[in-house]
Amino acid sequence: MGVMIEKLKHMFKPITLLLFLLPIVAAVGVGSLLEKQQKELVIPIAIVDEDQTDFSGNLIKQMELQQRIVVKETSFDEADTLLSRNEVDSIFVLKKGFQAHILDDKRKESIELWTSPTSIASGIVREVVASEVTKVTSSVKAANRVEKLYQQEKGIKADVWDEAFEYTKDQLDPKPLMTINYVSENSIAGTQNKDVLFTSYLGVWSFFTMLSCFITSDWVVKERSVLFPRIMTTNIGLASYLRQTSGAYILFHVLQAACSLMVLRYFQLMETTLFLYLGMVLFIVFTTSISMWTASRMHHLGSYYVAGSLMAFILAIAGGSFFPIGDISPTFEFISLWLPQKILWVTAYPLYTSFSEIGWTVLFSGVCIALLWKTTNWGLNVR
């Protein structure tokens, strides 16, 4: 314990205090900025109404009510110009006969979608449009059914279609498939709410904590050629020295995690729990193991700083520190399941994850930490 205490005494220097404050300040500042950008994010689209009927006009009105979509109704030539300038994400053309096709239940022939190679949200908007069209077509079917049943029951033909259509339309509210909260039965989680398992504050904290762990692990490179040979000849032994020194730095980051949670709780930026704090501690141990393993393979300090910074950035992107990586590709989502940030996501919102997933994540992290520590000792020739 003597080595750990001495390391802690010499740890609070200006540079280490900066590394202590960096994740806290970044989590609040950068996290708030990302949250604000997400709330203000809108998707501009152009709609060309070639039908000019009640149904097409009603669809445009419903699209204009969407909070994250800005609609510009215009001609096709102007819409094409806007698309080429990247001023709109996509163009939706309500073709001539749109209302007639809906009444005949021919939705595939009613709308044309135009996109450019740079369009990034056309799929999401397409689902919103599809939900509104589904609402109308379902109301049409229901109105047809009501009119038919009324004629069979009363034996007379009555004008009840419009009344049935309006009533049914008010009862239906289909959600876009790409924006609903759903449970995936095929994921490792068993039950997982993909819209919830991400928070900008925690994501930003994970990146800067990772970066801080890599920087503070530079002692392995600095002391490897000078101090380690001497430590091997003492009663302490290199293995004990590595454990105590790394333990001191882990304690340093664990204290930083506690301060980060208190600050986030004070500003009411996110829900904080003891369970989340334990997840942050495990994340720190996991990240420190990765940084020490990296340092054990480096002999030059400059090379280590470059490699460490690059690894921290790659792990942050692949682990979903800045945005839900699963939104890009299922492959990326699968990769993120094996990275340290997974610990944070399952402990931040335990109600949206199963106990088996939490247990699996903790077990996997423990095995990785043990393997990384073992290979680090081999790399430093610890016997």
Side-chain angles (χ1 to χ4, degrees), residues 41-43 45 59-71 124-125 127-129 131-132 135 173-176 179:
L41 178 65
V42 293
I43 304 170
I45 65 169
L59 176 61
I60 294 173
K61 289 179 181 178
Q62 293 301 317
M63 293 300 297
E64 290 174 343
L65 293 176
Q66 300 291 329
Q67 293 182 352
R68 299 302 176 91
I69 298 176
V70 176
V71 177
I124 298 175
V125 182
E127 291 295 340
V128 176
V129 174
S131 69
E132 294 298 333
K135 180 178 179 179
D173 188 23
K175 299 296 183 182
T179 58

Side-chain angles (χ1 to χ4, degrees), residues 19 22-23 206-222 249 252-253 283-296 298 301 303-316 340-341 372:
L19 293 174
L22 183 60
S206 68
F207 168 65
F208 283 97
T209 297
M210 232 186 306
L211 188 61
S212 180
C213 287
F214 272 99
I215 294 175
T216 53
S217 294
D218 63 354
W219 61 272
V220 176
V221 183
K222 291 177 179 179
Y249 281 100
F252 171 83
H253 293 296
F283 171 82
I284 288 170
V285 177
F286 197 167
T287 304
T288 301
S289 301
I290 296 174
S291 61
M292 285 190 62
W293 178 85
T294 305
S296 69
M298 296 290 174
L301 196 59
S303 300
Y304 170 70
Y305 285 141
V306 173
S309 300
L310 184 60
M311 284 191 65
F313 185 73
I314 293 174
L315 289 173
Q341 291 93 323
L372 286 167

